Structures are given as C-alpha cells and as structure tokens.
Amino acid sequence: MYEHLIEKCVEKKVLYQGRIIEVRNDTVRLPNGKLAGREVVDHCGGVTVAALTDDDCLLFVRQYRYPHDEVLLELPAGKLEPGEDPFEAGKRELLEEVGAVGKDYQFLGVAYPSPGCYKEELYLYACRVDALGDYHPDEDEFLDVEKIPLQEAVDMCMRNEIPDAKTQILLLKVAQLVAKGNL
C-alpha cells in the first residue's frame, strides 16, 4: 500500500557502540532510485508507567537530566534490558522509582520519541495503585517522588511545565481514559 514511500538500506556503518545506544551512518536507496544518507541512533527501548491513586493522583519523579541540564518532572520510566518484557520492566520501574505496586494495568501503546533519526520504542502503561511503600532507585539515580492530582498535572502539561514527551503523551492518554471512566 505504501511501497512507493519505502527506503531500502544499502549499507550500515556503525560509528559508535555504547551500553545504551548505537550510532550509525546508513546509506539508503530512495523510492526514486537515488542514494541518501541516514544518521540513526538505535536505543534499547524503554517503558513508562502512569500509576493512578484512588484519589486520582499520579505518582511522578523529579530527576536531573544531564543532556538538558535541568531537573524534569516525569512519570516513572526506565530502559529495557535486552530481551526484557516491557510489562515486567514497567512493574519493576514503578516499584523502584516510586515504591508502588500496580493493579488493573492497561497497555496504552508504543511511542516513537523522535522517529526521524532516533530508533527508540517506548512502551506505555497505566494502572491503579494497589500498594505504596518505600522506593529504591538504582544507585546512580537521584530523584524525588511527587503525588500530583491528575487535573493539575494535565494543566501543568498544557502550560508547558512538563517538557518530557513520554510523560506528556501518557498523561494525556490517562486523562482521556479517566474522563471516559475506563481507568
């Protein structure tokens, strides 16, 4: 159906292989037969979970993000280990980062944060909080946990106070589900 749009890879050249990303400079054949370069950052993928409490508050983390030199407000998230099931990773991250155990999980899709050059798949989940206890972040993670009413979080998103794309997407999906009585 969309074959006239497909680019075919002719050559892949790995420029950097790291622990989380691989950077490539690929050569592709365009639909018109000409060759073009494509810079690709291949990421191992991640998962984000929106955990909603009985009083319709979401659990967030505030965390410093070095590439932007900024402390950001985000929903609990983490990278996937090779071969790891995204659902299990989401439950792990929720417990580690905010000390929550979820119930009634819903899979809300996969998001591509920047599909022009960045190959990362973010798995999105929502749940209700079943139990809340102490959080135990990784030894290289420093974060604060915050509980914010859903509507306040949506308002913050709309005022551009939450620049993290995965959090914006999941937050707005959860708000729609709650408004329709589906979460």
Side-chain angles (χ1 to χ4, degrees):
M1 175 191 226
Y2 298 108
E3 291 300 316
H4 65 286
L5 301 176
I6 304 296
E7 300 176 358
K8 304 286 184 188
C9 182
V10 174
E11 178 185 18
K12 289 184 180 184
K13 182 179 179 185
V14 176
L15 303 176
Y16 172 77
Q17 179 67 55
R19 187 175 56 85
I20 298 172
I21 63 166
E22 174 184 275
V23 180
R24 298 191 323 261
N25 192 356
D26 293 358
T27 302
V28 300
R29 185 165 312 280
L30 300 173
N32 66 5
K34 294 183 180 182
L35 296 179
R38 296 288 181 255
E39 295 174 346
V40 178
V41 177
D42 199 352
H43 186 282
C44 57
V47 61
T48 304
V49 181
L52 199 61
T53 62
D54 288 339
D55 57 350
D56 283 344
C57 290
L58 284 170
L59 301 175
F60 286 88
V61 296
R62 276 206 196 267
Q63 187 171 356
Y64 177 76
R65 292 302 193 180
Y66 179 82
H68 293 278
D69 189 26
E70 191 175 343
V71 175
L72 298 180
L73 183 67
E74 303 175 42
L75 291 169
K79 71 177 184 64
L80 295 173
E81 299 300 329
E84 186 175 23
D85 176 72
F87 178 60
E88 294 302 320
K91 293 192 300 185
R92 173 181 44 87
E93 289 296 331
L94 188 62
L95 185 60
E96 285 178 6
E97 291 194 355
V98 297
V101 174
K103 64 179 179 181
D104 304 325
Y105 276 86
Q106 293 185 39
F107 175 62
L108 298 182
V110 177
Y112 301 162
S114 185
C117 68
Y118 199 62
K119 186 175 183 261
E120 178 183 21
E121 296 175 351
L122 295 170
Y123 294 83
L124 308 175
Y125 293 91
C127 68
R128 284 287 178 170
V129 173
D130 191 36
L132 194 55
D134 293 333
Y135 64 97
H136 304 283
D138 294 335
E139 66 179 32
D140 63 347
E141 275 185 313
F142 302 91
L143 47 86
D144 289 338
V145 176
E146 295 187 24
K147 181 179 167 185
I148 301 174
L150 176 60
Q151 188 55 55
E152 182 181 333
V154 169
D155 293 343
M156 292 171 71
C157 181
M158 297 307 293
R159 290 191 306 262
N160 297 307
E161 295 172 15
I162 302 176
D164 176 55
K166 68 185 180 306
T167 297
Q168 289 181 1
I169 294 165
L170 189 51
L171 171 59
L172 297 176
K173 285 186 170 197
V174 166
Q176 281 291 96
L177 287 173
V178 169
K180 293 179 179 183
N182 295 326
L183 180 63

